[in-house]
Amino acid sequence: MPDSEQFDLVVLGSGSAGTKVATTCRKAGWSVAVVEARDFGGTCALRGCEPKKVFWTVAEATERARNLAPHGVAGGDALRLDWTAAQAFKHSFTDPVPENREAALRAAGIVPIHGQPRFLAPDTLTVGERRLAARHVLIATGAAPAHLPIEGADLLATSDDFLLLDAMPESLVMVGGGYIAFECAHLAARAGARVTILQADDRPLAQFEPDLVARLLERTRGLGIEVALGCKASRIARQGAGFAVACENGREFQAALVVHGLGRSPSLQDLALEAGQVAVEKGRLSLDPYLRSTSNPRVFAAGDAAAQGPALTPVASHDAAVVARNMLEGCHTKPDYGVVPSAVFTIPPLASVGLTEAAARAANPDVEVRQGDMAGYQSVRRTGETAAAYKLLVAPGSGQILGAHLLGPEAPEVINVFAVAMRAGMTADALARMMTAYPTGGSNISSMLG
């Protein structure tokens, strides 16, 4: 075994969390290495939210043209998502990322290392023939599709596979009814595929407000997507040139491709954590409130690998800032996941921040609910979209905004305004008095709160 290379910090993973901690600590004068088992750049930039949003943007443009065909977009009703062309457009974003990310790390004085890292001891890792000694280690290896106890689960394609398709298959089955399933289904349907979503119970997108999910579900089915509720997949098998998916209720579905949409779990299995004395409980790292390993204080975690907050890129960046501060200044900072906006990029998109009505009523039965349909609002009607609504939750007396839930064309942008207001402690009345540019999605806020 060669002599160990010495580093103040070895980062495992080159996504948003790992890169942010690495660059922050390097600026503080630390010697830093970043180890990446795949391409440099991480899930969000290469295989997740950013490439997905490229496809979504093209799909949304075609959908808007179709919706506005009777109102001035001549020929708009003949448009469709050209998946192959959109795939080439997506590659123009993703292909440069690994080289650019690695070059940026080198320019910052950080050592990029390719290969699978494994702990050899609490302060030592190996990457191929290299041996790295570290004063601190950050685990930021992201997440991978969760293991499914389903016969034939190895036949499932992943969302990574879906986003790399050169051509859209004629039919798909999405196993699961969460973000991945609905987002991929909306893209595939607009590219001409026949799509089925299999949801084990009657609550797809369970973390979102049920009233708005019901509206999105109606819109989804209107696209020709079958959403089969109460269909828990039990077996996947090859059938001819495609696959058959059997459900516990006896129903069976056939498709050219079956995609895993049942969530992701921390990607930890190849790190030899036992050798590093890094404790794991039920597939998750055992961490203290400072995102530090409870069994090896040299080791910290951030983002999806830490699995402490919602599995979202902004959460990974937030974790990174917390970890960097704790490494540099001592463990005094805890992550705050109290106000985290999120969005499902269907068409129309669904967005949420704060408590659902059920959760708000559990804490305060007298919570005030302000809700309504927005299809007739100028900002929605001019897009041709027919599915748009809001639900806002306000604490009686104090006027504190407890939750905001939006469905409609500009929902992911407008939800950020509610998130800022909630984090700043603005009351509903104060937010309603805020002047906004008009006519915009944000200008609807005063009407929602009025």
Side-chain angles (χ1 to χ4, degrees), residues 158-221:
T158 66
S159 58
D160 293 10
D161 300 323
F162 177 85
L163 291 174
L164 285 171
L165 289 170
D166 291 326
M168 184 58 61
E170 64 177 17
S171 57
L172 294 91
V173 167
M174 310 298 305
V175 179
Y179 285 84
I180 292 173
F182 271 80
E183 291 177 344
C184 292
H186 272 243
L187 292 176
R190 289 176 170 88
R194 185 180 75 256
V195 186
T196 301
I197 297 173
L198 304 182
Q199 170 65 24
D201 55 23
D202 61 352
R203 285 290 310 277
L205 297 169
Q207 63 271 59
F208 288 87
E209 185 60 39
D211 293 355
L212 300 192
V213 172
R215 288 175 180 255
L216 178 59
L217 195 58
E218 180 180 3
R219 182 76 165 86
T220 300
R221 286 171 166 155

Short mmCIF file of all heavy atoms in Angstrom, two decimals, residues 158-221:
data_model
loop_
_atom_site.label_atom_id
_atom_site.label_comp_id
_atom_site.label_asym_id
_atom_site.label_seq_id
_atom_site.Cartn_x
_atom_site.Cartn_y
_atom_site.Cartn_z
N THR A 158 -34.46 3.41 -14.20
CA THR A 158 -34.44 4.49 -13.21
C THR A 158 -34.76 5.81 -13.89
O THR A 158 -34.84 5.90 -15.12
CB THR A 158 -33.07 4.58 -12.54
OG1 THR A 158 -32.11 4.99 -13.53
CG2 THR A 158 -32.65 3.24 -11.93
N SER A 159 -34.93 6.85 -13.08
CA SER A 159 -35.13 8.17 -13.66
C SER A 159 -33.90 8.61 -14.45
O SER A 159 -34.01 9.34 -15.44
CB SER A 159 -35.45 9.19 -12.56
OG SER A 159 -34.42 9.24 -11.59
N ASP A 160 -32.70 8.15 -14.03
CA ASP A 160 -31.49 8.41 -14.82
C ASP A 160 -31.65 7.86 -16.23
O ASP A 160 -31.35 8.53 -17.22
CB ASP A 160 -30.27 7.73 -14.18
CG ASP A 160 -29.88 8.32 -12.84
OD1 ASP A 160 -30.64 9.14 -12.30
OD2 ASP A 160 -28.81 7.94 -12.34
N ASP A 161 -32.12 6.61 -16.30
CA ASP A 161 -32.33 5.97 -17.61
C ASP A 161 -33.35 6.73 -18.43
O ASP A 161 -33.18 6.94 -19.64
CB ASP A 161 -32.80 4.52 -17.44
CG ASP A 161 -31.81 3.65 -16.67
OD1 ASP A 161 -30.59 3.84 -16.87
OD2 ASP A 161 -32.26 2.80 -15.88
N PHE A 162 -34.43 7.16 -17.79
CA PHE A 162 -35.49 7.89 -18.49
C PHE A 162 -34.94 9.16 -19.12
O PHE A 162 -35.23 9.46 -20.29
CB PHE A 162 -36.62 8.22 -17.51
CG PHE A 162 -37.73 9.02 -18.11
CD1 PHE A 162 -38.77 8.41 -18.79
CD2 PHE A 162 -37.73 10.41 -18.00
CE1 PHE A 162 -39.78 9.16 -19.37
CE2 PHE A 162 -38.74 11.17 -18.57
CZ PHE A 162 -39.77 10.54 -19.25
N LEU A 163 -34.16 9.91 -18.37
CA LEU A 163 -33.64 11.18 -18.87
C LEU A 163 -32.57 11.01 -19.93
O LEU A 163 -32.17 11.98 -20.58
CB LEU A 163 -33.10 12.02 -17.71
CG LEU A 163 -34.16 12.55 -16.73
CD1 LEU A 163 -33.49 13.24 -15.56
CD2 LEU A 163 -35.14 13.49 -17.43
N LEU A 164 -32.10 9.77 -20.13
CA LEU A 164 -31.11 9.49 -21.16
C LEU A 164 -31.71 8.84 -22.41
O LEU A 164 -30.98 8.55 -23.36
CB LEU A 164 -30.01 8.58 -20.60
CG LEU A 164 -29.00 9.25 -19.66
CD1 LEU A 164 -28.11 8.19 -19.01
CD2 LEU A 164 -28.15 10.27 -20.41
N LEU A 165 -33.01 8.60 -22.43
CA LEU A 165 -33.64 7.95 -23.57
C LEU A 165 -33.40 8.74 -24.85
O LEU A 165 -33.64 9.95 -24.91
CB LEU A 165 -35.14 7.81 -23.35
CG LEU A 165 -35.60 6.80 -22.29
CD1 LEU A 165 -37.10 6.97 -22.02
CD2 LEU A 165 -35.29 5.38 -22.73
N ASP A 166 -32.93 8.05 -25.89
CA ASP A 166 -32.75 8.70 -27.18
C ASP A 166 -34.09 8.92 -27.88
O ASP A 166 -34.26 9.87 -28.65
CB ASP A 166 -31.84 7.86 -28.08
CG ASP A 166 -30.40 7.84 -27.58
OD1 ASP A 166 -29.95 8.87 -27.03
OD2 ASP A 166 -29.73 6.81 -27.72
N ALA A 167 -35.01 8.00 -27.64
CA ALA A 167 -36.35 8.10 -28.23
C ALA A 167 -37.34 7.64 -27.18
O ALA A 167 -37.04 6.78 -26.35
CB ALA A 167 -36.46 7.25 -29.49
N MET A 168 -38.53 8.21 -27.21
CA MET A 168 -39.54 7.85 -26.22
C MET A 168 -40.24 6.55 -26.61
O MET A 168 -40.73 6.43 -27.74
CB MET A 168 -40.58 8.98 -26.12
CG MET A 168 -41.62 8.74 -25.03
SD MET A 168 -40.93 8.52 -23.38
CE MET A 168 -40.11 10.11 -23.13
N PRO A 169 -40.27 5.55 -25.71
CA PRO A 169 -41.00 4.31 -26.00
C PRO A 169 -42.49 4.60 -26.20
O PRO A 169 -43.00 5.64 -25.76
CB PRO A 169 -40.77 3.47 -24.75
CG PRO A 169 -39.59 4.08 -24.06
CD PRO A 169 -39.62 5.53 -24.40
N GLU A 170 -43.17 3.68 -26.83
CA GLU A 170 -44.59 3.89 -27.09
C GLU A 170 -45.42 3.80 -25.82
O GLU A 170 -46.53 4.35 -25.75
CB GLU A 170 -45.10 2.89 -28.12
CG GLU A 170 -45.05 1.43 -27.65
CD GLU A 170 -45.62 0.47 -28.66
OE1 GLU A 170 -45.78 0.87 -29.83
OE2 GLU A 170 -45.90 -0.68 -28.27
N SER A 171 -44.89 3.11 -24.78
CA SER A 171 -45.66 2.96 -23.54
C SER A 171 -44.72 2.83 -22.35
O SER A 171 -43.63 2.28 -22.46
CB SER A 171 -46.58 1.75 -23.62
OG SER A 171 -45.83 0.57 -23.88
N LEU A 172 -45.18 3.37 -21.21
CA LEU A 172 -44.41 3.29 -19.97
C LEU A 172 -45.34 3.01 -18.80
O LEU A 172 -46.49 3.48 -18.79
CB LEU A 172 -43.66 4.60 -19.67
CG LEU A 172 -42.55 5.07 -20.58
CD1 LEU A 172 -43.12 5.97 -21.67
CD2 LEU A 172 -41.50 5.84 -19.78
N VAL A 173 -44.83 2.30 -17.82
CA VAL A 173 -45.48 2.18 -16.53
C VAL A 173 -44.54 2.80 -15.49
O VAL A 173 -43.36 2.46 -15.43
CB VAL A 173 -45.77 0.71 -16.15
CG1 VAL A 173 -46.15 0.59 -14.68
CG2 VAL A 173 -46.90 0.17 -17.02
N MET A 174 -45.08 3.72 -14.70
CA MET A 174 -44.33 4.32 -13.60
C MET A 174 -44.76 3.62 -12.32
O MET A 174 -45.94 3.66 -11.95
CB MET A 174 -44.65 5.82 -13.49
CG MET A 174 -44.52 6.60 -14.79
SD MET A 174 -42.86 6.59 -15.49
CE MET A 174 -41.91 7.21 -14.12
N VAL A 175 -43.83 2.97 -11.65
CA VAL A 175 -44.14 2.28 -10.38
C VAL A 175 -43.92 3.27 -9.26
O VAL A 175 -42.79 3.60 -8.90
CB VAL A 175 -43.26 1.04 -10.20
CG1 VAL A 175 -43.57 0.36 -8.88
CG2 VAL A 175 -43.47 0.07 -11.36
N GLY A 176 -45.02 3.77 -8.70
CA GLY A 176 -44.96 4.78 -7.66
C GLY A 176 -45.66 6.04 -8.09
O GLY A 176 -45.78 6.33 -9.29
N GLY A 177 -46.13 6.82 -7.10
CA GLY A 177 -46.90 8.03 -7.41
C GLY A 177 -46.36 9.27 -6.76
O GLY A 177 -47.12 10.10 -6.26
N GLY A 178 -45.03 9.44 -6.76
CA GLY A 178 -44.41 10.62 -6.19
C GLY A 178 -43.90 11.57 -7.26
O GLY A 178 -44.33 11.53 -8.41
N TYR A 179 -42.97 12.45 -6.86
CA TYR A 179 -42.40 13.44 -7.78
C TYR A 179 -41.95 12.80 -9.09
O TYR A 179 -42.33 13.23 -10.18
CB TYR A 179 -41.13 14.05 -7.18
CG TYR A 179 -41.26 15.05 -6.08
CD1 TYR A 179 -41.41 14.67 -4.76
CD2 TYR A 179 -41.13 16.42 -6.36
CE1 TYR A 179 -41.46 15.61 -3.74
CE2 TYR A 179 -41.18 17.36 -5.36
CZ TYR A 179 -41.35 16.95 -4.04
OH TYR A 179 -41.38 17.88 -3.04
N ILE A 180 -41.09 11.78 -8.98
CA ILE A 180 -40.47 11.20 -10.17
C ILE A 180 -41.52 10.67 -11.13
O ILE A 180 -41.47 10.92 -12.34
CB ILE A 180 -39.48 10.08 -9.77
CG1 ILE A 180 -38.27 10.67 -9.04
CG2 ILE A 180 -39.03 9.28 -10.99
CD1 ILE A 180 -37.32 9.64 -8.47
N ALA A 181 -42.48 9.94 -10.59
CA ALA A 181 -43.50 9.33 -11.44
C ALA A 181 -44.31 10.38 -12.18
O ALA A 181 -44.51 10.28 -13.40
CB ALA A 181 -44.42 8.44 -10.60
N PHE A 182 -44.79 11.39 -11.47
CA PHE A 182 -45.65 12.38 -12.12
C PHE A 182 -44.86 13.25 -13.09
O PHE A 182 -45.35 13.57 -14.18
CB PHE A 182 -46.35 13.23 -11.06
CG PHE A 182 -47.67 12.65 -10.63
CD1 PHE A 182 -47.70 11.62 -9.70
CD2 PHE A 182 -48.86 13.10 -11.16
CE1 PHE A 182 -48.91 11.06 -9.31
CE2 PHE A 182 -50.07 12.54 -10.79
CZ PHE A 182 -50.10 11.52 -9.86
N GLU A 183 -43.66 13.64 -12.73
CA GLU A 183 -42.88 14.48 -13.64
C GLU A 183 -42.52 13.73 -14.91
O GLU A 183 -42.68 14.26 -16.02
CB GLU A 183 -41.64 14.99 -12.93
CG GLU A 183 -41.95 16.00 -11.83
CD GLU A 183 -40.74 16.47 -11.05
OE1 GLU A 183 -39.68 15.80 -11.13
OE2 GLU A 183 -40.85 17.49 -10.37
N CYS A 184 -42.04 12.50 -14.78
CA CYS A 184 -41.70 11.71 -15.96
C CYS A 184 -42.94 11.40 -16.79
O CYS A 184 -42.90 11.43 -18.03
CB CYS A 184 -41.00 10.42 -15.56
SG CYS A 184 -39.35 10.65 -14.84
N ALA A 185 -44.04 11.11 -16.12
CA ALA A 185 -45.28 10.78 -16.83
C ALA A 185 -45.75 11.95 -17.68
O ALA A 185 -46.16 11.78 -18.84
CB ALA A 185 -46.37 10.37 -15.84
N HIS A 186 -45.71 13.17 -17.13
CA HIS A 186 -46.16 14.33 -17.89
C HIS A 186 -45.26 14.59 -19.09
O HIS A 186 -45.75 14.98 -20.16
CB HIS A 186 -46.22 15.55 -16.97
CG HIS A 186 -47.54 15.71 -16.28
ND1 HIS A 186 -48.37 16.78 -16.48
CD2 HIS A 186 -48.17 14.90 -15.40
CE1 HIS A 186 -49.47 16.64 -15.75
NE2 HIS A 186 -49.36 15.50 -15.07
N LEU A 187 -43.97 14.37 -18.94
CA LEU A 187 -43.07 14.53 -20.09
C LEU A 187 -43.34 13.46 -21.14
O LEU A 187 -43.46 13.75 -22.34
CB LEU A 187 -41.62 14.45 -19.63
CG LEU A 187 -41.10 15.58 -18.75
CD1 LEU A 187 -39.67 15.29 -18.31
CD2 LEU A 187 -41.18 16.92 -19.47
N ALA A 188 -43.43 12.20 -20.70
CA ALA A 188 -43.60 11.09 -21.64
C ALA A 188 -44.91 11.21 -22.42
O ALA A 188 -44.95 10.96 -23.63
CB ALA A 188 -43.55 9.77 -20.89
N ALA A 189 -45.98 11.59 -21.73
CA ALA A 189 -47.27 11.70 -22.39
C ALA A 189 -47.23 12.78 -23.48
O ALA A 189 -47.79 12.61 -24.56
CB ALA A 189 -48.36 12.02 -21.37
N ARG A 190 -46.54 13.86 -23.19
CA ARG A 190 -46.46 14.94 -24.18
C ARG A 190 -45.50 14.62 -25.31
O ARG A 190 -45.47 15.32 -26.32
CB ARG A 190 -46.12 16.25 -23.48
CG ARG A 190 -47.32 16.75 -22.65
CD ARG A 190 -46.99 18.00 -21.86
NE ARG A 190 -48.20 18.57 -21.29
CZ ARG A 190 -48.71 18.24 -20.10
NH1 ARG A 190 -48.10 17.32 -19.36
NH2 ARG A 190 -49.82 18.79 -19.66
N ALA A 191 -44.70 13.56 -25.12
CA ALA A 191 -43.85 13.07 -26.21
C ALA A 191 -44.53 11.94 -26.97
O ALA A 191 -43.89 11.30 -27.81
CB ALA A 191 -42.51 12.60 -25.65
N GLY A 192 -45.79 11.67 -26.64
CA GLY A 192 -46.58 10.70 -27.40
C GLY A 192 -46.70 9.33 -26.80
O GLY A 192 -47.30 8.43 -27.41
N ALA A 193 -46.16 9.09 -25.61
CA ALA A 193 -46.22 7.76 -25.01
C ALA A 193 -47.55 7.54 -24.28
O ALA A 193 -48.18 8.48 -23.81
CB ALA A 193 -45.06 7.58 -24.02
N ARG A 194 -47.94 6.28 -24.22
CA ARG A 194 -49.07 5.87 -23.39
C ARG A 194 -48.52 5.54 -22.01
O ARG A 194 -47.66 4.69 -21.87
CB ARG A 194 -49.76 4.65 -24.00
CG ARG A 194 -51.04 4.23 -23.26
CD ARG A 194 -51.67 3.01 -23.91
NE ARG A 194 -50.94 1.78 -23.61
CZ ARG A 194 -50.14 1.15 -24.44
NH1 ARG A 194 -49.93 1.63 -25.67
NH2 ARG A 194 -49.52 0.04 -24.09
N VAL A 195 -49.01 6.24 -20.98
CA VAL A 195 -48.38 6.18 -19.66
C VAL A 195 -49.38 5.74 -18.60
O VAL A 195 -50.54 6.17 -18.61
CB VAL A 195 -47.79 7.54 -19.26
CG1 VAL A 195 -47.00 7.43 -17.95
CG2 VAL A 195 -46.90 8.10 -20.37
N THR A 196 -48.90 4.89 -17.69
CA THR A 196 -49.67 4.46 -16.53
C THR A 196 -48.84 4.71 -15.27
O THR A 196 -47.66 4.38 -15.23
CB THR A 196 -50.03 2.97 -16.61
OG1 THR A 196 -50.78 2.73 -17.81
CG2 THR A 196 -50.85 2.54 -15.40
N ILE A 197 -49.47 5.30 -14.27
CA ILE A 197 -48.87 5.47 -12.95
C ILE A 197 -49.53 4.50 -11.99
O ILE A 197 -50.77 4.49 -11.88
CB ILE A 197 -49.04 6.91 -12.44
CG1 ILE A 197 -48.30 7.90 -13.35
CG2 ILE A 197 -48.55 7.05 -11.00
CD1 ILE A 197 -48.57 9.36 -12.99
N LEU A 198 -48.74 3.68 -11.30
CA LEU A 198 -49.27 2.74 -10.32
C LEU A 198 -48.99 3.27 -8.92
O LEU A 198 -47.84 3.41 -8.51
CB LEU A 198 -48.62 1.36 -10.48
CG LEU A 198 -48.73 0.71 -11.86
CD1 LEU A 198 -48.09 -0.67 -11.83
CD2 LEU A 198 -50.19 0.61 -12.30
N GLN A 199 -50.06 3.57 -8.17
CA GLN A 199 -49.93 4.06 -6.80
C GLN A 199 -50.49 3.02 -5.84
O GLN A 199 -51.61 2.55 -6.01
CB GLN A 199 -50.70 5.38 -6.65
CG GLN A 199 -50.84 5.88 -5.23
CD GLN A 199 -49.51 6.26 -4.59
OE1 GLN A 199 -48.55 6.56 -5.28
NE2 GLN A 199 -49.46 6.24 -3.26
N ALA A 200 -49.70 2.63 -4.84
CA ALA A 200 -50.08 1.52 -3.96
C ALA A 200 -51.34 1.81 -3.15
O ALA A 200 -52.13 0.91 -2.88
CB ALA A 200 -48.92 1.18 -3.01
N ASP A 201 -51.56 3.07 -2.75
CA ASP A 201 -52.76 3.42 -2.00
C ASP A 201 -53.53 4.48 -2.77
O ASP A 201 -53.38 4.59 -3.99
CB ASP A 201 -52.39 3.89 -0.58
CG ASP A 201 -51.40 5.05 -0.59
OD1 ASP A 201 -51.32 5.78 -1.61
OD2 ASP A 201 -50.70 5.25 0.42
N ASP A 202 -54.34 5.27 -2.06
CA ASP A 202 -55.15 6.27 -2.76
C ASP A 202 -54.59 7.68 -2.60
O ASP A 202 -55.30 8.65 -2.82
CB ASP A 202 -56.60 6.22 -2.26
CG ASP A 202 -56.71 6.53 -0.78
OD1 ASP A 202 -55.68 6.63 -0.09
OD2 ASP A 202 -57.86 6.66 -0.28
N ARG A 203 -53.29 7.80 -2.23
CA ARG A 203 -52.71 9.11 -1.97
C ARG A 203 -51.43 9.35 -2.78
O ARG A 203 -50.32 9.30 -2.24
CB ARG A 203 -52.40 9.28 -0.48
CG ARG A 203 -53.60 9.53 0.42
CD ARG A 203 -54.20 10.92 0.20
NE ARG A 203 -53.20 11.97 0.25
CZ ARG A 203 -52.74 12.52 1.37
NH1 ARG A 203 -53.17 12.11 2.53
NH2 ARG A 203 -51.84 13.49 1.32
N PRO A 204 -51.55 9.62 -4.06
CA PRO A 204 -50.35 10.03 -4.80
C PRO A 204 -49.88 11.39 -4.31
O PRO A 204 -50.67 12.17 -3.77
CB PRO A 204 -50.84 10.09 -6.25
CG PRO A 204 -52.30 10.34 -6.14
CD PRO A 204 -52.76 9.64 -4.91
N LEU A 205 -48.60 11.67 -4.47
CA LEU A 205 -48.02 12.94 -4.03
C LEU A 205 -48.48 13.27 -2.62
O LEU A 205 -48.99 14.36 -2.32
CB LEU A 205 -48.41 14.07 -5.00
CG LEU A 205 -47.87 13.89 -6.43
CD1 LEU A 205 -48.52 14.90 -7.38
CD2 LEU A 205 -46.36 14.05 -6.47
N ALA A 206 -48.28 12.32 -1.72
CA ALA A 206 -48.86 12.37 -0.38
C ALA A 206 -48.39 13.55 0.44
O ALA A 206 -49.08 13.96 1.39
CB ALA A 206 -48.57 11.07 0.37
N GLN A 207 -47.21 14.11 0.15
CA GLN A 207 -46.71 15.22 0.95
C GLN A 207 -47.32 16.55 0.56
O GLN A 207 -47.05 17.57 1.21
CB GLN A 207 -45.18 15.30 0.88
CG GLN A 207 -44.60 15.56 -0.48
CD GLN A 207 -44.34 14.28 -1.26
OE1 GLN A 207 -45.23 13.49 -1.52
NE2 GLN A 207 -43.08 14.09 -1.64
N PHE A 208 -48.16 16.56 -0.48
CA PHE A 208 -48.78 17.80 -0.94
C PHE A 208 -50.25 17.86 -0.51
O PHE A 208 -50.84 16.87 -0.10
CB PHE A 208 -48.64 17.91 -2.46
CG PHE A 208 -47.23 18.21 -2.90
CD1 PHE A 208 -46.33 17.18 -3.12
CD2 PHE A 208 -46.80 19.51 -3.07
CE1 PHE A 208 -45.02 17.44 -3.51
CE2 PHE A 208 -45.50 19.79 -3.46
CZ PHE A 208 -44.61 18.76 -3.67
N GLU A 209 -50.81 19.04 -0.62
CA GLU A 209 -52.19 19.28 -0.19
C GLU A 209 -53.17 18.45 -1.03
O GLU A 209 -53.21 18.59 -2.26
CB GLU A 209 -52.51 20.77 -0.33
CG GLU A 209 -53.86 21.18 0.21
CD GLU A 209 -54.01 20.87 1.69
OE1 GLU A 209 -53.05 21.06 2.46
OE2 GLU A 209 -55.11 20.42 2.06
N PRO A 210 -53.95 17.58 -0.39
CA PRO A 210 -54.82 16.66 -1.15
C PRO A 210 -55.78 17.35 -2.11
O PRO A 210 -56.05 16.84 -3.19
CB PRO A 210 -55.57 15.91 -0.05
CG PRO A 210 -54.68 15.97 1.14
CD PRO A 210 -54.00 17.31 1.05
N ASP A 211 -56.33 18.52 -1.73
CA ASP A 211 -57.27 19.21 -2.61
C ASP A 211 -56.63 19.56 -3.95
O ASP A 211 -57.24 19.40 -5.01
CB ASP A 211 -57.76 20.50 -1.94
CG ASP A 211 -58.62 20.25 -0.72
OD1 ASP A 211 -58.92 19.08 -0.44
OD2 ASP A 211 -58.98 21.23 -0.04
N LEU A 212 -55.40 20.05 -3.89
CA LEU A 212 -54.72 20.45 -5.13
C LEU A 212 -54.21 19.23 -5.89
O LEU A 212 -54.19 19.24 -7.13
CB LEU A 212 -53.59 21.41 -4.82
CG LEU A 212 -53.97 22.73 -4.14
CD1 LEU A 212 -52.82 23.71 -4.16
CD2 LEU A 212 -55.21 23.34 -4.77
N VAL A 213 -53.79 18.19 -5.16
CA VAL A 213 -53.40 16.95 -5.83
C VAL A 213 -54.57 16.39 -6.61
O VAL A 213 -54.40 15.89 -7.74
CB VAL A 213 -52.88 15.92 -4.80
CG1 VAL A 213 -52.66 14.56 -5.47
CG2 VAL A 213 -51.57 16.40 -4.17
N ALA A 214 -55.78 16.48 -6.05
CA ALA A 214 -56.97 15.97 -6.75
C ALA A 214 -57.18 16.71 -8.06
O ALA A 214 -57.53 16.12 -9.09
CB ALA A 214 -58.19 16.10 -5.86
N ARG A 215 -56.95 18.02 -8.06
CA ARG A 215 -57.10 18.80 -9.29
C ARG A 215 -56.02 18.41 -10.30
O ARG A 215 -56.29 18.28 -11.51
CB ARG A 215 -57.00 20.30 -8.99
CG ARG A 215 -58.21 20.87 -8.26
CD ARG A 215 -57.96 22.32 -7.90
NE ARG A 215 -59.07 22.93 -7.21
CZ ARG A 215 -59.93 23.79 -7.76
NH1 ARG A 215 -59.78 24.13 -9.03
NH2 ARG A 215 -60.90 24.32 -7.06
N LEU A 216 -54.80 18.23 -9.82
CA LEU A 216 -53.72 17.80 -10.71
C LEU A 216 -54.00 16.40 -11.25
O LEU A 216 -53.71 16.11 -12.42
CB LEU A 216 -52.38 17.83 -9.97
CG LEU A 216 -51.17 17.36 -10.78
CD1 LEU A 216 -50.97 18.19 -12.03
CD2 LEU A 216 -49.91 17.39 -9.92
N LEU A 217 -54.55 15.55 -10.41
CA LEU A 217 -54.87 14.19 -10.84
C LEU A 217 -55.90 14.22 -11.98
O LEU A 217 -55.77 13.50 -12.98
CB LEU A 217 -55.41 13.41 -9.65
CG LEU A 217 -55.49 11.89 -9.76
CD1 LEU A 217 -54.12 11.30 -10.04
CD2 LEU A 217 -56.06 11.32 -8.47
N GLU A 218 -56.89 15.08 -11.86
CA GLU A 218 -57.90 15.21 -12.92
C GLU A 218 -57.25 15.70 -14.22
O GLU A 218 -57.55 15.20 -15.30
CB GLU A 218 -58.99 16.18 -12.47
CG GLU A 218 -60.09 16.38 -13.49
CD GLU A 218 -61.17 17.34 -13.02
OE1 GLU A 218 -61.03 17.90 -11.91
OE2 GLU A 218 -62.15 17.55 -13.77
N ARG A 219 -56.36 16.66 -14.06
CA ARG A 219 -55.67 17.20 -15.24
C ARG A 219 -54.77 16.14 -15.87
O ARG A 219 -54.67 16.02 -17.10
CB ARG A 219 -54.83 18.41 -14.81
CG ARG A 219 -54.09 19.09 -15.94
CD ARG A 219 -55.03 19.94 -16.77
NE ARG A 219 -54.26 20.86 -17.62
CZ ARG A 219 -53.77 20.57 -18.82
NH1 ARG A 219 -53.95 19.37 -19.32
NH2 ARG A 219 -53.10 21.48 -19.51
N THR A 220 -54.10 15.36 -15.03
CA THR A 220 -53.21 14.30 -15.50
C THR A 220 -53.99 13.25 -16.28
O THR A 220 -53.57 12.82 -17.37
CB THR A 220 -52.49 13.65 -14.29
OG1 THR A 220 -51.72 14.65 -13.62
CG2 THR A 220 -51.59 12.52 -14.73
N ARG A 221 -55.11 12.83 -15.74
CA ARG A 221 -55.94 11.85 -16.44
C ARG A 221 -56.49 12.42 -17.74
O ARG A 221 -56.67 11.69 -18.73
CB ARG A 221 -57.05 11.38 -15.52
CG ARG A 221 -56.55 10.43 -14.43
CD ARG A 221 -57.60 10.13 -13.39
NE ARG A 221 -57.21 8.99 -12.55
CZ ARG A 221 -57.66 8.78 -11.32
NH1 ARG A 221 -58.51 9.65 -10.77
NH2 ARG A 221 -57.26 7.73 -10.64
#
